[in-house]
Amino acid sequence: MQSQHSNNYEDDQDDYGWPDEEDKEQVSYHHQFDNDEKRQLEKVQKLVELLGCSQDQGIAIMRFFKWNMDKLQNEWFSNERRLGIKMGIEFDNDLSKKFPLTMQSLAHNNQGYCMICYGQFSQKNKQDNMSCGHQFCQEDWRSYLSQKVNEGFQAVQSKCPQHLCNMVVPHSYFVKYLQKEDMKTYMKWFCKAYTDDNKNVRWCPYSGCDYCVEYQDYGESDVSCKCGNSFCFKCGSESHRPCDCKQTETWKNKNSAESENITWIMANTKQCPECRKPIEKNQGCNHMTCKMCSYEFCWLCQGKWSEHGQKTGGYYNCNKYEELKSKGDVKISKDETSRQAAKNELDRYMFYFERFNNHDKAEKHARSLRPVIKAKIQLLHEIKKYPPSELDFLDEAINEVIKCRQVLKYTYVYGYYLKNQKELNLFQFLQEDLEKNCDYLHELIEKPLDPYLDTNIVDRSTFYHFKGQLINYYQVTRKVRLSS
Amino acid sequence: MVDNGRIMKELKELQEATKNVITTSYQQQSNPITLQSPTQQVQASIVGDNLRHWTGTIFGPKDTCFEGGIFKIDIEIPGEYPFKPPKMRFITKIWHPNISSQTGAICLDILKNEWTPALTIRTALISLQALLCAPEPDDPQDAEVARQYKSDKKLYEYTAKMWTENFAKEQTVDDKVKKLMEMGFPEDICKEALERYDNDENLALNFLLGG
C-alpha cells in the first residue's frame, strides 16, 4: 500500500521536473521502494562478470571498496589474497596458529557436535558451513542470523559464529535462512548499507523525506530530490548557491556562536512605526499592514510602504547597506577606533544576518504553503473543473518561491564574504532584482484562492487574469534567478 | 531458542574440570615440593536451583597484583543465550581499570559486541582471568582506577594488592594473628582476642585497642 502511494507521488513529481536546469546525470529514488536492491545487484553482476567470482563475494568486494569501481580496479588485482582475508571472503589460515580455539568447530575437531547448541549433527539436525569450514546446525544459523538482523544495521557485516573467524556471512545465507519478517528487516539493512557506503549516493537532508539521490560527479553542485527540495551534493545540506560549502559552513558556525546575542538583539517582534504596538511577522513578504492602525510599512527598514513604490527606485532600496562612515574629522584614540571597528563589523554582520534570517523564515512559510496550495489545486479541479494541467502553474510558482528564497538567503552570506567593491555593486543589483520579483511572486501566491472557488461566478476571466499574472512573474523570477 | 541442553553440558564440563583440579592439587599436595595453587583454572557453580544464575570463581593470576586472590563472579544467562552474551559482574571487590570498583561491572569486548555463540561461560571466565593479567586503561570501566594506573603505577599496584588482600583472600587464623602482631601486640594476647570474638579481626583489634 505504502509503496503504491509513494510511486504515485513520484509520477506526479516527474511531470514538474526542471529538465533544463539539472540536466546532469542524477537519479533520485526511494531507498526502500524503488528496487534499490536491484540497483545494487546489477552493479554486483558486472563485477561478477569481470572477476569471475560469486555474487556473495561480489557484494563483499563492492562494500569493501564502498562501490567505487576505480579504487577497486586499482587495488584489487594487485593484492587479491590479502584483501580477500581483510574483507572476510577468504579464510585467514594464520588464525589457526594464533588462536587454536578458532578451529574447534571444524568438521575434524567438533566430534559431530554443533558448538552452539551442543547437539549432535544428524539427518534431522543437519550441519552447514561457510567456506571457512566452521560447522553449525541449520537451526542455529537461523537463530544466529535472526538475532543479528534484529540487533541493527550492522547485521550485514555479521561474521561466522566461530569466535575470531574472519569470514563474513554472505548475502545468500541471509536469503537462505531468514524468514518473512526478519528477511524484510534484512533487506532494509541491505539497502541502507548501499546508501550509507556509497559516496555517489546521499540521503535527502529534508526531514520526513525517505529518498536519496545518486549522482556521479560529487563536486559542488545542487541536486533535486523527488520530494521537490534540492540540496548540495557535496556537503549534503540544503542548497546554498551562490556560496560554496566552506563559506556556508563558516557562516553557520558564526551564526551558532553569535546567535544568542543576535536573537537577543532582535526579538521576533518589531514595533509598528506608527502606533508602537509590537508586531510579529507571520507571512512571507515585507509589506506589513498593522492590524491596529492600518499603517502600511516595510518590515525591514520600517519606512512607509508608499515610499517603496517603483517610482522611488525599487521596492527594496532599503536593502542596500552602506557601511557606516567612520568619523574621520575627530581625533579618535586607538581604543576608540578598534571599538568602532568592532561595532561596525557587528552592524554589518547583523545587517546580513537579519536579511538571511528573514529569507529563511520566508522560505519556511513558503514550504508550509505548499500543502495548502496542493489542496487548493485539488479543490479547483473538483469544484470548478479546471483540468489539472491548467493548474500546475500554482505548484510551479510556489516551488519557484521556495527556490528563490533559498538562493536569496545565501546571497546574503555570499554578500557578507564578498570584499570586492565592484563585484559587490553588480551583485547587489542582481540580488535586488531577484528579491523584488520573488517578493512580488510570493505575495501573489499568498493571496487567498477562495474567490476563484465560488461556484456562483461563472466568469473565469478573473482567474485567468490571475493565472496570467502569476505565470508572467513566475517566468520573470525564474529567469532572474537563473541568470544571477 | 531457550536451550537448557547446552547450559547443562557447559555446567557439567566446568564441574569436571574443577574435579580434575582438586585431584591434581591433591596429588600435588602429596608432594610438598611442587605444591602450587591451581591458578590457571576457573570454576563455576549454579546458584540455588535456577539454571540461569551461576557463580563463577577465578583465581588471581600469578605475578600480578591479584595473585592469591579468589574472585567470585555473578553470572546471569539471558534467555537468548548463546546468541547473546552472559551478563557477568564481579561480586568480590577488585581494583582494576576495566572493572568498576563500586559495582563490579566489567568492560570486556567479548561480553559485549565481540561475543559469538561459539564462546562459552568457561572461555569467558578464562578471558576475564586474562584481563586481570593485562589491564587496558585506555578503555576503562572505572575512570579513577584507570587514571591512577596511568599516572602513578606504583600506587595502583599497591592499592590493587591491598584490595586483593582485604577482599579476595580467605584468611587463616594464623594470618590474622600475624597481622595483629605486626601492630605490636604480643602473640598470646592476639590469639586470645581473636578467639573471644569468633576470629573477627576488626572486633579483636577494637578489643585490643580499647583494653
Side-chain angles (χ1 to χ4, degrees), chain A residues 360-419:
Chain A
D360 186 53
K361 278 188 189 155
E363 184 200 329
K364 286 192 180 116
H365 283 307
R367 277 184 198 285
S368 61
L369 201 62
R370 195 152 59 179
V372 179
I373 299 251
K374 277 226 152 118
K376 284 277 154 62
I377 291 178
Q378 192 61 30
L379 282 176
L380 279 166
H381 173 58
E382 278 168 15
I383 298 175
K384 301 286 280 189
K385 307 284 179 239
Y386 289 109
S389 58
E390 275 197 33
L391 297 167
D392 284 350
F393 76 99
L394 287 168
D395 197 58
E396 279 170 27
I398 188 69
N399 278 326
E400 185 58 32
V401 169
I402 293 171
K403 288 200 174 191
C404 278
R405 289 292 177 199
Q406 217 167 22
V407 171
L408 279 169
K409 193 163 91 175
Y410 282 101
T411 55
Y412 282 102
V413 183
Y414 187 76
Y416 179 73
Y417 290 113
L418 192 64
K419 300 286 180 198

Side-chain angles (χ1 to χ4, degrees), chain A residues 101 104 113 115-119 136 139-140 143-144 147-148 151 160-164, chain B residues 1 3 5-6 9-10 13 80 82-84 110 113-120 123:
Chain A
L101 262 178
Q104 265 185 357
Y113 282 106
M115 298 302 284
I116 292 179
C117 64
Y118 282 30
F136 303 99
E139 194 46 49
D140 286 326
S143 313
Y144 177 66
Q147 177 78 31
K148 284 282 177 195
E151 271 172 17
C160 164
Q162 181 59 53
H163 184 52
L164 291 173
Chain B
M1 199 143 84
D3 181 13
R6 158 152 171 167
K9 269 200 182 127
E10 273 197 50
E13 268 182 20
E80 293 91 342
F83 298 102
K84 277 204 171 165
I110 65 150
N113 42 359
E114 289 297 309
W115 171 263
T116 73
L119 288 168
T120 62
T123 48

Side-chain angles (χ1 to χ4, degrees), chain A residues 258-269 350 353:
Chain A
E258 288 183 27
S259 63
E260 265 179 75
N261 278 330
I262 299 299
T263 42
W264 183 81
I265 294 169
M266 348 169 280
N268 285 313
T269 62
M350 274 189 53
F353 179 77

